[in-house]
Amino acid sequence: MAANLEDVPSLELMTELLRRMKCSSKPDKRVILVGPPGCGKGTQSPLIKDEFCLCHLATGDMLRAAVKAKTPLGIKAKEAMEKGELVSDDLVVGIIDEAMKKTSCQKGFILDGFPRTVVQAQKLDEMLAKQGTKIDKVLNFAIDDEILEERITGRWIHPSSGRSYHTKFAPPKTPGVDDVTGEPLIQRKDDTAAVLKSRLEAFHIQTEPVIEYYTKKGLVANLHAEKPPKQVTAEVQKALS
């Protein structure tokens, strides 16, 4: 953001003003996205953010930003990382607390990648309660492991452009070759059945109790994440309206 408003181009100013006017009538929302790798959270999250004027809080990004900005919590997080330790739950909740005070989070937030455990969920609830707020909805991107395996292990990437293909859903014209440049496609190291299996095991063990925790509070909306993106978007809109 330019320090002086006079230096901001008029079109950008007007666009931002119109956006804020539109957002002022939107209800506040605090939403958690839960789902295994490849479930489609990344596709839906920008749409939710724009539709409901929320800020997107991804814990990994926030930790890196706090470390870079050298905030007191960021310094503590950096110390933990340099020792090869996991950043404590209290630190992460503190960093979320800090991030929530930004102007872009006025109407609420989408939390992605947190909480991963019931203890984290409890600490988050305590922190929000101190501010007089609470989580409004937990969107559970429910999908079978078999479908995920097909989705993820079929992904091929063209490294220099970022174009992605899928052997079944969006195949290249020539197998293993980028349509535009004719260069070879690669598969990400994480996009193998073995890596996916261990990530899914961790997800089921750690995060399913979190879904259970919020289900007891009546906050969970179960989405059919195996459906095409547009249909999932319609389910998201319904759950949040």
Side-chain angles (χ1 to χ4, degrees):
M1 181 74 188
N4 193 341
L5 283 178
E6 290 170 5
D7 299 332
V8 180
S10 302
L11 187 64
E12 280 180 31
L13 259 182
M14 290 303 293
T15 308
E16 178 58 19
L17 251 168
L18 287 168
R19 189 191 70 80
R20 290 198 187 189
M21 282 165 69
K22 185 194 84 160
C23 289
S24 63
S25 61
K26 301 269 181 180
D28 293 9
K29 284 197 190 304
R30 289 157 198 87
V31 182
I32 293 172
L33 306 186
V34 184
C39 68
K41 279 187 311 184
T43 305
Q44 300 299 328
S45 133
L47 303 175
I48 301 168
K49 174 179 179 278
D50 291 345
E51 175 64 25
F52 295 98
C53 303
L54 308 176
C55 65
H56 180 249
L57 302 178
T59 42
D61 296 344
M62 287 190 301
L63 275 171
R64 283 186 286 276
V67 168
K68 195 177 172 194
K70 296 189 168 68
T71 67
L73 290 171
I75 291 165
K76 282 185 183 169
K78 188 174 184 229
E79 284 168 6
M81 288 170 180
E82 283 174 349
K83 287 183 196 159
E85 294 167 3
L86 282 174
V87 178
S88 76
D89 293 345
D90 290 322
L91 254 179
V92 178
V93 169
I95 284 170
I96 293 169
D97 190 1
E98 251 177 24
M100 278 168 50
K101 295 183 173 80
K102 293 188 302 193
T103 313
S104 57
C105 297
Q106 257 174 350
K107 299 304 277 180
F109 57 77
I110 301 163
L111 253 184
D112 188 357
F114 191 91
R116 288 176 194 265
T117 65
V118 172
V119 172
Q120 288 177 350
Q122 289 164 337
K123 285 182 188 287
L124 177 67
D125 282 351
E126 284 164 19
M127 181 269 284
L128 291 173
K130 280 180 191 157
Q131 297 192 12
T133 62
K134 60 181 178 44
I135 294 299
D136 298 303
K137 191 62 78 176
V138 177
L139 299 179
N140 176 28
F141 286 74
I143 187 166
D144 285 345
D145 289 3
E146 291 75 36
I147 297 171
L148 279 179
E149 186 168 335
E150 182 179 58
R151 264 190 196 180
I152 286 181
T153 56
R155 281 200 297 214
W156 287 82
I157 312 285
H158 177 242
S160 57
S161 70
R163 272 187 291 279
S164 67
Y165 298 89
H166 192 284
T167 43
K168 180 177 175 182
F169 306 119
K173 292 178 185 136
T174 310
V177 173
D178 177 49
D179 288 352
V180 181
T181 61
E183 291 168 356
L185 300 174
I186 62 153
Q187 199 164 30
R188 287 201 194 108
K189 285 200 286 284
D190 285 357
D191 289 353
T192 63
V195 171
L196 178 66
K197 188 169 182 281
S198 70
R199 286 175 77 190
L200 285 174
E201 276 170 8
F203 172 78
H204 292 310
I205 292 163
Q206 276 196 324
T207 312
E208 284 188 347
V210 174
I211 297 166
E212 185 69 19
Y213 171 81
Y214 285 116
T215 300
K216 284 177 184 156
K217 291 174 175 274
L219 297 177
V220 175
N222 292 306
L223 309 174
H224 298 89
E226 79 285 349
K227 287 183 178 176
K230 282 204 169 92
Q231 288 181 30
V232 178
T233 302
E235 286 192 21
V236 167
Q237 300 276 12
K238 195 176 163 199
L240 294 179
S241 62

